[in-house]
Amino acid sequence: SDQLYWSGSGTNFGKCVDIFAPGENILAANHTCNNCTKILSGTSMSAPLVSGLVALYLQKQPLLSPDEVKTLLKNNSLKGQLNFDPLTDEARPYTPNNLIQTTGIYKGRIVCAFV
């Protein structure tokens, strides 16, 4: 995916990572008005995408434990789709090539809005 945030030192890799989410050129809500948006990049854009997916899982199955949610995220991720060329040779074997996806979880377009 070309929307991963590889630039700079903000992206984690190695054994501390379970899953990746897009983090570059993300359309996000903006504080300047109730319906304003802004294109942002960084790991702070990836985290809300994973959190939103977790919320969708919990909406369908509210009694899931944290470990069950983690398993769902990993099992339902796209595997082997990411270009790991920017990673060091030492980190590459220890970094899971898992990208979040919402297929089968939510039908339609996922958007954020003020409520």
Side-chain angles (χ1 to χ4, degrees):
S1 169
D2 61 355
Q3 284 192 303
L4 288 176
Y5 187 68
W6 290 121
S7 55
S9 60
T11 300
N12 289 312
F13 51 84
K15 294 178 183 178
C16 64
V17 174
D18 292 310
I19 198 162
F20 286 93
E24 197 160 306
N25 299 318
I26 304 298
L27 182 65
N30 190 315
H31 70 281
T32 56
C33 74
N34 283 344
N35 58 357
C36 293
T37 59
K38 185 176 183 177
I39 302 293
L40 298 170
S41 295
T43 54
S44 60
M45 293 292 94
S46 301
L49 293 175
V50 176
S51 298
L53 183 54
V54 168
L56 291 173
Y57 282 130
L58 292 173
Q59 181 181 25
K60 288 187 172 232
Q61 299 178 63
L63 299 179
L64 289 173
S65 71
D67 284 338
E68 290 170 322
V69 170
K70 182 178 177 180
T71 298
L72 279 171
L73 286 169
K74 290 165 95 174
N75 288 348
N76 293 321
S77 68
L78 293 171
K79 293 160 184 65
Q81 302 296 307
L82 304 173
N83 176 2
F84 274 8
D85 289 347
L87 297 181
T88 65
D89 289 340
E90 294 81 24
R92 201 171 293 123
Y94 300 104
T95 305
N97 197 325
N98 300 331
L99 177 65
I100 66 165
Q101 70 167 339
T102 59
T103 304
I105 301 302
Y106 182 83
K107 296 186 181 349
R109 185 171 175 221
I110 297 177
V111 295
C112 296
F114 286 91
V115 287

